[in-house]
Amino acid sequence: MPARFGLRWLFAATLFLAFPLSELVAQGVEPARITGEVTDETGAPISGVQVIIVNQQTGFQSGALTQANGRYLVMGLRAGGPYSIEARMIGYGLEAIENVVLEAGGTFEANFSLGTEVIALDALEVFSTRAIERKTPVAYTDVPKVQIQNQLGSRDLPMVLNVTPSVYATQAGGGAGDARINVRGFSQRNTAIMVNGVPVNDMENGWVYWSNWDGLGDAARSVQLQRGLSAVNLATPSVGGTMNIITDATQMAPGIGWKQEFGSGGFLKETLSFATGEFNNKWAFSGALVRKTGEGIYEGGRFTTNEFGGDAAWTDAWAYYFAGSLQVNPKNRLELYAVGAPQRHGQNRYALNIGTLSRELAESLDSYEPEAFEDYEEAGPLWSPNVNRVSSSYTGQQYNSSGPGSGMKDRHDPNYINERENYFHKPQINLNWYSYFGNNLTLSTVAYYSGGRGGGTGTYGSSSRASWNYQYGQRVVDWDGTIAKNLERTDGSSGYILRNSVNNQDQYGVISKLRKDFEGGVTGEIGVDWRTAEVEHFREVRDLLGGTYYEDCRFGCSSDFWTGSEIQRRIGDRIDYNFTNTIDWFGAYVQAEKSSAEGSVYGMFGWARNSYTSENFFMDGGDGRPLLLESGWIDGVQIKGGASRNVSDEVSIFANAGYVSKVPILDGTMNDEDGLLNPDPKNEKILSFEAGMNFRSQDRAVSFDLSFYHTTWKDRGERVFVNDLLGEDQDGIVTLLGLDQRHMGIEAMLAYQPNDLLRFDAAASFGKWKYLDDVTGTFNLGGGGGTFSKTLYINDLKVADAPQSQLAYAVSVFPIENLYTRLQGRTYWNHYAGFNPVDRDEAPEPGKENVQAWKAPGFTVVDLHASYRLGDLIPVWQGGDVRLFMNVYNLLDELYISDATDNSSFNDFDGDHDADDAEVFLGQPRMFNLGFEIKF
């Protein structure tokens, strides 16, 4: 496979959709319009109801709010369709009209009567605290299903949000499911990710592993990102924002579908979907099954030649989604959702020196010293150190005790060994109950289970017992040499092996919200949020690489309890660490809101209580039993409120503010692996303010959103080990406080659709994120050891790991009926390389400022999206449809840096925060995703 993708793929992709272009003609059709009235059960008009109109083929949205007389009018609509028309308002049921076909120059009358005693079809969105236009006072962006279908392709779900202000998502090393997302300068540890109203961030560390949610892109009905503290009232880590993913409802039109996708790196994906529609006025089911395989684009290989092979980022995955609903009676509704993705994939986990990946790029950077090329030889932008050749005569199998493919199995490729592989299955099952008790009192409850089985792989043992390649300036395992060393030992022991790091978990939770609607548009709500999880962590022997056992006691036994032959660890035996954590969360909140056609105001108070326990089965607690660590209960609070004002039918303004005393995650209270307890964990304090305005023209041809935010993150803690601070062996951990940050910025979004053939979109965000002060900590060492002080020189350093300035721009063209094309660009700059503030302990020269982390060069990426519905061209079945689609990512094959680490401990040349000291991931080259979808 060539190092970069050539133009032949682009030519083939263009031909794939070329035949519809022959129909391009000037249509000149007079537009249509939709009007109507919205009333309640008594026939009285309702003002302020959202009427949303969606072209079911192009995804173009329009709409209006009802006036005091309950009437609405939407003009300038393209003839044809079909269109869906929805009328929705909190406190009322949702009413919808599907498959509306408009006549040129005609007027379609769509009247709605909204009831209050029926559990609405949008109850899931209400439960999930979705923001509503001209009502909810937060900055947010909606991504509807048609946009997800047209733009996401085979990528991880966060990538579809990259055209949203203050959002930066990357594929990191490029492995399937290894993406990350950053919002307003906050990592996804501090961005709440929710699926159908249930938080899915890891309860131990807040991270989100997107490979666990591989099927969400196919199942998602919409994604809403609320930036900032958001209007979500659960005890979630929503400092940067809240990403709400709503899956397909069971009330979809009945039918089945098949989608086939092809892509770069041998990518193949098949999706089978079905929906029954509602039957017997009670039941409805829908679901999808996904199969995904691919070899990836990253390669490694033997280092004595320039011929690379082996697939570092292969994928072998399934995904499934199921939804079922039962309308028990007009006042009670049950819904069941299940989603999961059993998968295995190779990983490209190691960021590298720029000179290793691209000499051309390195030479273009002023701060890259030419002398560094003596240490870092170019291997190419698609080379990975995580895979290397092995003789096919080595037939040793690999083992994992849990997760997909558990038990003994052959390697993915008999000619290679992947050092880093991820295998996991994390199903989530939600049972939702919506009940209406009369007198405008509703109860929404979800009970859920999320279990996970699997882990990740790596190497284990003494590096002196392995054999290494050092070409390209990177240390890579020579598997044949290492196996030969293990076989040379007369006692049968292996000195260097492959291990699994296993994470088996069971999580249960209940979220319940009681809502009361009073007269005058006043709503009160109380809720509880309970979660508990038990997570088992251990390492186990995966592959002995030629030997018969591994002696895990060469530098002190991993377990205090091993005796005799137990130190000889064999396939499947546990090594290094073995502990189980229990996490308990409980939260409650109260919220009040008053809304009308003129606007809304709300306020909420929430309380959270967390506790963490760790039982370490390899460490003696002093009484002959496993060591037990307990954090005790830690309390936190959040106070949020905001108001919106509809200045006119076109303009609304909003503001919100909030204070959060955030309970530390488990990692902030203890080091579970080493059995160390933080004696005094501290809550982090977040103070945030946001204001903005929204403009929607009467004909919906123009929309404009503007927002400003100011967030101060105080008492941000960084857990450090005392021996790291002292440079000597001393047990203990402390939390450094005062690593305070301020994130402020301005965001804007603009959409302009002058007619039904053309649409322009733009988004911009300009942030100023930085650390506020140097930090000095004094630590009592205990035991007569005195005290120790350490200063971190971080004042005015830029918060890193995401570009602080970005633009997105797109033009969409609908030249003929059923054809959609979109050319989309993104430009980023002011991207500072990530760093650990604890490493910044060297004072600047007198009179000089602290040295900023290296700033990666700005870049621009252009994507192309197109789809065409064949419609009546293939009238094979009644109501059927065929859609062809094409996505070209990084159309111009831009060579750029997507992720960077400053002064890498592995790839540092001379330690002066320059380009030659950084390690990076390059953005993916030109990639293709093509396919077709058939619906019956």
Side-chain angles (χ1 to χ4, degrees), residues 815-828:
I816 61 173
E817 188 175 358
N818 299 330
L819 178 61
Y820 157 88
T821 60
R822 178 182 173 99
L823 190 65
Q824 175 177 290
R826 294 173 284 124
T827 299
Y828 302 97

Side-chain angles (χ1 to χ4, degrees), residues 38 126 158 177 260 368 584 634 663 667 675 680 698 703 717 758 782 789 894-895 915 922:
V38 182
V126 176
Q260 178 67 61
Y368 195 95
D584 290 296
I634 308 173
V663 177
D667 291 347
D680 189 24
Q698 285 289 324
S703 67
L758 195 63
S789 294
E894 178 77 6
L895 184 66
L922 298 183

Side-chain angles (χ1 to χ4, degrees), residues 258-309:
W258 174 265
K259 183 165 67 171
Q260 178 67 61
E261 298 177 63
F262 310 88
S264 303
F267 177 83
L268 289 173
K269 181 178 178 183
E270 298 83 32
T271 303
L272 175 66
S273 59
F274 77 93
T276 65
E278 192 171 43
F279 58 94
N280 293 336
N281 294 320
K282 284 189 174 184
W283 300 92
F285 301 98
S286 65
L289 181 65
V290 181
R291 176 67 169 133
K292 185 173 77 170
T293 59
E295 297 306 323
I297 62 172
Y298 298 94
E299 298 182 328
R302 190 180 302 277
F303 295 86
T304 56
T305 73
N306 290 323
E307 296 179 1
F308 297 141

Side-chain angles (χ1 to χ4, degrees), residues 756-912:
D756 53 6
L757 299 178
L758 195 63
R759 176 185 171 99
F760 300 95
D761 290 273
S765 56
F766 305 96
K768 189 175 182 181
W769 317 325
K770 68 175 185 177
Y771 290 90
L772 297 180
D773 295 294
D774 292 336
V775 178
T776 298
T778 301
F779 316 106
N780 188 340
L781 300 180
T787 60
F788 175 78
S789 294
K790 184 180 182 73
T791 299
L792 304 181
Y793 299 93
I794 58 174
N795 180 45
D796 281 337
L797 291 187
K798 303 291 186 180
V799 174
D801 211 25
Q804 301 202 15
S805 303
Q806 60 188 73
L807 292 173
Y809 32 87
V811 57
S812 302
V813 182
F814 312 95
I816 61 173
E817 188 175 358
N818 299 330
L819 178 61
Y820 157 88
T821 60
R822 178 182 173 99
L823 190 65
Q824 175 177 290
R826 294 173 284 124
T827 299
Y828 302 97
W829 67 103
N830 288 333
H831 182 188
Y832 292 87
F835 64 93
N836 186 346
V838 176
D839 296 334
R840 289 305 196 104
D841 55 359
E842 184 176 343
E845 297 179 9
K848 297 292 185 66
E849 297 178 346
N850 292 326
V851 180
Q852 295 287 351
W854 176 65
K855 185 163 67 172
F859 62 91
T860 295
V861 176
V862 177
D863 301 328
L864 174 65
H865 309 284
S867 69
Y868 181 69
R869 293 186 181 275
L870 292 159
D872 295 334
L873 295 181
I874 306 182
V876 177
W877 57 89
Q878 185 66 29
D881 191 18
V882 176
R883 181 175 70 97
L884 308 178
F885 57 86
M886 174 187 72
N887 300 287
V888 186
Y889 305 109
N890 193 4
L891 177 68
L892 304 180
D893 206 20
E894 178 77 6
L895 184 66
Y896 66 95
I897 293 169
S898 63
D899 305 77
T901 300
D902 184 56
N903 272 23
S904 163
S905 57
F906 301 101
N907 287 283
D908 181 353
F909 177 63
D910 54 13
D912 54 3

Side-chain angles (χ1 to χ4, degrees), residues 150 300 349:
N150 286 336
R349 288 291 302 273

Side-chain angles (χ1 to χ4, degrees), residues 716-771:
R716 182 201 160 199
E718 188 75 33
R719 186 190 74 177
V720 296
F721 301 105
V722 172
N723 55 1
D724 291 338
L725 297 173
L726 296 174
E728 60 186 56
D729 188 16
Q730 170 112 20
D731 289 339
I733 60 174
V734 296
T735 300
L736 283 172
L737 297 178
L739 303 178
D740 300 344
Q741 299 177 11
R742 182 175 65 214
H743 295 237
M744 58 187 296
I746 188 169
E747 305 162 331
M749 290 189 298
L750 172 67
Y752 174 51
Q753 183 150 357
N755 52 54
D756 53 6
L757 299 178
L758 195 63
R759 176 185 171 99
F760 300 95
D761 290 273
S765 56
F766 305 96
K768 189 175 182 181
W769 317 325
K770 68 175 185 177
Y771 290 90

Side-chain angles (χ1 to χ4, degrees), residues 438-455:
N439 198 26
N440 295 326
L441 183 65
T442 58
L443 177 68
S444 302
T445 302
V446 56
Y448 64 92
Y449 165 76
S450 181
R453 297 292 184 272

